[in-house]
Amino acid sequence: KRRHIDEKKKNKLLNILSTLNKKRVSICRAMIFCTRHSDYSLDIIKIISNFLTDEKYDLLKKINLIYLLSDILYNCSNEFFSSWSYRKHIEDELPRIFYFLRKHIKKVDSKIKGKLFIDSLINIFNMWNCWAIYNSVFVNGLLCLLCNLKINYINVNRIEEENGDENIDGHKIQYYDDIKRYPLSLRRNAYMYFKKNDDEINKLCLQRGLYYNEHFTKQKKIKYLLLYDNFCTNNNNNNNNNNFLNSYVFQVDNTKNVTSHGESRDISNAC
């Protein structure tokens, strides 16, 4: 049976997190507390996650919390305190964390602050890659959540009005009404996703590190899966992750559309 953290330990953790700074000794102190109280790993990660998803909490202070998560992950192999349990709990929370980090970055009052945050994140991802913490399929989903990618939907109402009187032979393909608003380059993958049931779509989102909740429709989940496909295609063609991610995250007038980088990739190919 899972143990819940008591108020005394919870208050101590909150005090540690509220005074956390970028100094190594501060992050190490927090990591030691978390490691020694791994019996409450789920509660501890939930508390850290709440700080990271709070838009009122300073963006640059959040990077200290992510460094803390990184240190905890590095010490997950420490069997003495059963800290291995943190890995799964952190994995479950990361998509939600990065989904809300994107919202915070969009509202940040300083582009320089946002760029410093992204550069720090890239360094952390590089460390995770060296440690083989999570596979690239999952990590690419987290990176995709940070990007300002959008789908350039087709105005189907206008097209149908223009072609309303034409006689069209044949029958509509399955899911035509769902995929007709997507650009041609995305329709093949969109069709493949719409053929899947909700459980299969949810499983794909979990595997790819994409956040969703009970309020997300199937269409919204498929939108993120299509954005993920496009992100992986462009990320594989770019050797400089820092410049690549910064160019996607900090879009104002020239928002990146998924149709501006060629054809969509086959969803059966892993990133």
Side-chain angles (χ1 to χ4, degrees), residues 135 137-139 200 202-210 228:
N135 62 52
V137 174
F138 181 80
V139 171
E200 291 173 323
N202 292 344
K203 185 177 180 180
L204 280 175
C205 289
L206 289 174
Q207 290 173 343
R208 300 181 181 188
L210 299 174
Y228 173 92

Side-chain angles (χ1 to χ4, degrees), residues 170-188:
H171 300 280
K172 288 183 179 179
I173 65 170
Q174 191 180 20
Y175 307 112
Y176 171 77
D177 290 333
D178 292 309
I179 67 174
K180 64 184 179 181
R181 66 195 186 108
Y182 293 105
L184 289 175
S185 62
L186 299 181
R187 288 184 183 179
R188 180 179 182 275

Side-chain angles (χ1 to χ4, degrees), residues 167-225:
N167 294 321
I168 301 176
D169 294 332
H171 300 280
K172 288 183 179 179
I173 65 170
Q174 191 180 20
Y175 307 112
Y176 171 77
D177 290 333
D178 292 309
I179 67 174
K180 64 184 179 181
R181 66 195 186 108
Y182 293 105
L184 289 175
S185 62
L186 299 181
R187 288 184 183 179
R188 180 179 182 275
N189 282 6
Y191 176 72
M192 297 299 293
Y193 288 132
F194 274 107
K195 287 174 62 178
K196 299 181 181 296
N197 60 41
D198 288 337
D199 289 338
E200 291 173 323
I201 291 294
N202 292 344
K203 185 177 180 180
L204 280 175
C205 289
L206 289 174
Q207 290 173 343
R208 300 181 181 188
L210 299 174
Y211 173 74
Y212 70 91
N213 58 38
E214 65 275 12
H215 303 297
F216 277 39
T217 62
K218 184 176 182 179
Q219 287 79 1
K220 187 170 183 177
K221 295 173 190 175
I222 289 175
K223 180 191 79 170
Y224 281 104
L225 287 169

Side-chain angles (χ1 to χ4, degrees), residues 5 24 30 41 77-78 86 150 175 207 209 216 244:
I5 192 169
R24 185 64 190 165
S41 57
S77 59
N78 184 349
Y86 276 107
K150 294 183 180 180
Y175 307 112
Q207 290 173 343
F216 277 39
F244 172 73

Side-chain angles (χ1 to χ4, degrees), residues 44-240:
I44 289 173
I45 294 304
K46 287 287 186 182
I47 291 171
I48 296 174
S49 177
N50 288 337
F51 273 92
L52 285 166
T53 55
D54 183 2
E55 292 184 13
K56 296 180 181 178
Y57 195 71
D58 184 73
L59 185 64
L60 291 184
K61 288 184 178 180
K62 288 184 177 183
I63 200 64
N64 301 327
L65 292 172
I66 297 178
Y67 273 118
L68 170 59
L69 291 180
S70 185
D71 272 18
I72 294 172
L73 284 171
Y74 183 77
N75 287 279
C76 278
S77 59
N78 184 349
E79 297 181 0
F80 185 75
F81 292 111
S82 300
S83 54
W84 53 266
S85 60
Y86 276 107
R87 179 167 178 165
K88 175 59 178 172
H89 299 321
I90 293 175
E91 180 180 347
D92 291 340
E93 285 296 315
L94 282 176
R96 174 173 172 263
I97 288 170
F98 278 82
Y99 179 83
F100 284 98
L101 283 179
R102 172 61 201 154
K103 290 180 176 292
H104 195 169
I105 292 171
K106 288 173 68 175
K107 297 178 180 179
V108 70
D109 55 358
S110 169
K111 188 174 180 179
I112 295 176
K113 180 187 289 188
K115 188 177 185 305
L116 288 172
F117 182 79
I118 291 298
D119 288 343
S120 298
L121 278 183
I122 292 296
N123 291 333
I124 290 173
F125 278 118
N126 288 337
M127 287 191 295
W128 290 359
N129 183 51
C130 292
W131 302 339
I133 297 292
Y134 300 117
N135 62 52
S136 61
V137 174
F138 181 80
V139 171
N140 278 338
L142 303 180
L143 291 170
C144 180
L145 288 172
L146 289 175
C147 292
N148 195 23
L149 292 169
K150 294 183 180 180
I151 293 177
N152 189 20
Y153 292 108
I154 295 172
N155 188 344
V156 292
N157 293 329
R158 179 178 59 81
I159 294 176
E160 288 177 351
E161 288 176 2
E162 293 175 355
N163 302 327
D165 296 329
E166 294 183 5
N167 294 321
I168 301 176
D169 294 332
H171 300 280
K172 288 183 179 179
I173 65 170
Q174 191 180 20
Y175 307 112
Y176 171 77
D177 290 333
D178 292 309
I179 67 174
K180 64 184 179 181
R181 66 195 186 108
Y182 293 105
L184 289 175
S185 62
L186 299 181
R187 288 184 183 179
R188 180 179 182 275
N189 282 6
Y191 176 72
M192 297 299 293
Y193 288 132
F194 274 107
K195 287 174 62 178
K196 299 181 181 296
N197 60 41
D198 288 337
D199 289 338
E200 291 173 323
I201 291 294
N202 292 344
K203 185 177 180 180
L204 280 175
C205 289
L206 289 174
Q207 290 173 343
R208 300 181 181 188
L210 299 174
Y211 173 74
Y212 70 91
N213 58 38
E214 65 275 12
H215 303 297
F216 277 39
T217 62
K218 184 176 182 179
Q219 287 79 1
K220 187 170 183 177
K221 295 173 190 175
I222 289 175
K223 180 191 79 170
Y224 281 104
L225 287 169
L226 292 171
L227 292 175
Y228 173 92
D229 292 338
N230 181 76
F231 175 85
C232 290
T233 299
N234 290 286
N235 193 26
N236 289 338
N237 295 331
N238 195 293
N239 295 323
N240 192 323

